[in-house]
Amino acid sequence: MHLLLPKIQKRIFKKIYQFPFLKHQNDVAYQEAVNQHQPNLPQISKDDLELVDKIHHEGIAVTSLDALGITHNNQILQTAKHLASQIKPDMNNIHNQYVIHATPQQIMQHSEIFLWGLEQRLLNITEHYLGLPVAYHGTYFRRDIANKLEQGSRRWHLDPEDRKVLKIIIYVNDVSESQGPFQYIPISFTEKIVQSLKYNYGYISNQTMQEIISPDNYQSCIGSAGTVIFAGTGSIFHRGKPPETSDRFTIFFDYTSRRKRELFYINNTLPHQDLLQLSQNLNMRQKQCLFWQDYLF
């Protein structure tokens, strides 16, 4: 299957993969791949294993840059705050705009943000969660505008790109309940909602979600600047709650496996030429995660 599929074709293939016979075959092949890769998983600390276990069972694990203790943590937060000041809303479209992303040019000017997502400890944690070799899809630096609009990823959804999807999120500013926290619905409730709605993909409005489940079951990740969220976004319904009192600044780092079958996510957030430039000082494993399309299995 050619990876560069338009959105509609991806949806068709995704539906085809749900046919019972094909689904069974794919389930078996997937489990075999995970079992074969098990002996090759990197060694990680007890604390990191507990973090992975928490993502598996709860769908999420919340920590901080300080707790992670990665060498470049202080630098990335300072750089991110500097970049945040450069991301300006379009004053001509302020009433319809709900999010602004840093441009590829801005990310390249602050490349340590992108490269943070390739830190060895993060790749180790991610590989243990996925159970398979890692594909790093890059980073999004986003400013969510405090205008209460419920659009795009502010609506409830599951990430459909792979069987397991991991996103690491850093809060660049303090995020309270009124400042647009990352919200999720625990795995046990998510599974029931999927069955109830016969959900495959797409966005669900908050009004519709409240008809199925009480908002008391929503979980908000509030925290100060430097809060880090590991989210298994293919396993939990989630959204960015619309900010009300002030804009929210976050960095998202996206990961899937490198398994060719059933992988529906093929883009990187930066052009290939930029990736080549950034890869000059990376080790082989990091390059494989970055140029993952060359290392499919």
Side-chain angles (χ1 to χ4, degrees):
M1 183 180 70
H2 196 285
L3 281 178
L4 299 176
L5 291 171
K7 233 178 226 183
I8 294 174
Q9 284 182 290
K10 289 184 195 177
R11 290 177 180 176
I12 292 171
F13 274 99
K14 195 164 182 63
K15 283 187 176 181
I16 289 172
Y17 282 151
Q18 294 305 310
F19 293 165
F21 175 71
L22 283 178
K23 186 177 185 304
H24 174 71
Q25 280 195 319
N26 290 336
D27 288 345
V28 170
Y30 168 75
Q31 196 55 54
E32 284 179 356
V34 170
N35 292 342
Q36 288 175 8
H37 190 65
Q38 177 83 25
N40 300 320
L41 290 173
Q43 287 191 334
I44 60 174
S45 68
K46 181 183 175 184
D47 287 345
D48 286 352
L49 277 173
E50 288 176 357
L51 189 150
V52 171
D53 189 60
K54 196 167 185 181
I55 307 170
H56 272 129
H57 289 94
E58 299 179 28
I60 205 154
V62 181
T63 181
S64 68
L65 287 172
D66 287 342
L68 282 174
I70 294 172
T71 308
H72 299 108
N73 278 343
N74 290 333
Q75 183 183 4
I76 189 179
L77 191 56
Q78 291 175 3
T79 302
K81 288 182 176 180
H82 175 68
L83 178 54
S85 67
Q86 300 175 17
I87 302 177
K88 307 291 186 183
D90 179 0
M91 299 312 294
N92 295 322
N93 194 31
I94 191 68
H95 297 297
N96 298 316
Q97 198 171 32
Y98 72 96
V99 64
I100 311 158
H101 289 95
T103 64
Q105 292 78 14
Q106 288 173 318
I107 293 296
M108 285 299 291
Q109 289 167 6
H110 303 82
S111 59
E112 56 267 47
I113 294 175
F114 184 95
L115 293 172
W116 187 85
L118 288 165
E119 289 283 349
Q120 294 289 353
R121 186 177 180 188
L122 300 178
L123 293 180
N124 289 346
I125 291 169
T126 302
E127 189 165 337
H128 270 264
Y129 172 68
L130 298 174
L132 294 165
V134 175
Y136 176 48
H137 299 277
T139 184
Y140 294 91
F141 192 111
R142 54 186 289 161
R143 175 179 183 170
D144 278 272
I145 307 299
N147 56 11
K148 303 182 184 179
L149 286 178
E150 188 183 336
Q151 294 181 9
S153 59
R154 292 182 176 185
R155 294 174 289 170
W156 295 100
H157 61 286
L158 298 176
D159 289 341
E161 297 89 353
D162 198 5
R163 284 176 178 259
K164 286 185 178 180
V165 180
L166 186 72
K167 292 195 174 177
I168 302 175
I169 306 161
I170 300 177
Y171 285 169
V172 179
N173 61 329
D174 297 347
V175 177
S176 67
E177 190 66 49
S178 63
Q179 291 168 303
F182 179 85
Q183 281 191 323
Y184 70 99
I185 297 172
I187 286 178
S188 57
F189 290 111
T190 287
E191 291 171 349
K192 293 174 184 175
I193 295 166
V194 167
Q195 293 174 359
S196 175
L197 291 176
K198 295 181 172 55
Y199 177 89
N200 285 318
Y201 56 84
Y203 292 116
I204 300 171
S205 71
N206 193 44
Q207 181 179 346
T208 299
M209 189 62 80
Q210 289 184 11
E211 294 170 1
I212 301 166
I213 187 171
S214 167
D216 292 340
N217 295 304
Y218 297 177
Q219 302 294 317
S220 293
C221 298
I222 61 174
S224 57
T227 294
V228 180
I229 303 164
F230 289 80
T233 53
S235 304
I236 49 173
F237 274 112
H238 62 281
R239 68 168 185 163
K241 184 181 180 184
E244 299 172 10
T245 57
S246 63
D247 295 355
R248 185 197 73 174
F249 293 86
T250 48
I251 316 171
F252 281 70
F253 302 86
D254 290 5
Y255 307 87
T256 67
S257 76
R258 292 202 292 265
R259 189 166 174 268
K260 184 175 181 179
R261 182 179 291 184
E262 299 175 280
L263 183 59
F264 296 93
Y265 190 94
I266 53 85
N267 297 321
N268 197 293
T269 56
L270 290 177
H272 187 74
Q273 196 60 38
D274 288 344
L275 300 183
L276 289 173
Q277 183 179 333
L278 291 173
S279 68
Q280 292 177 10
N281 296 317
L282 298 180
N283 62 38
M284 181 52 67
R285 183 192 182 200
Q286 291 171 317
K287 288 180 180 178
Q288 289 174 347
C289 293
L290 186 60
F291 299 107
W292 56 271
Q293 293 187 59
D294 297 330
Y295 299 93
L296 294 171
F297 65 100

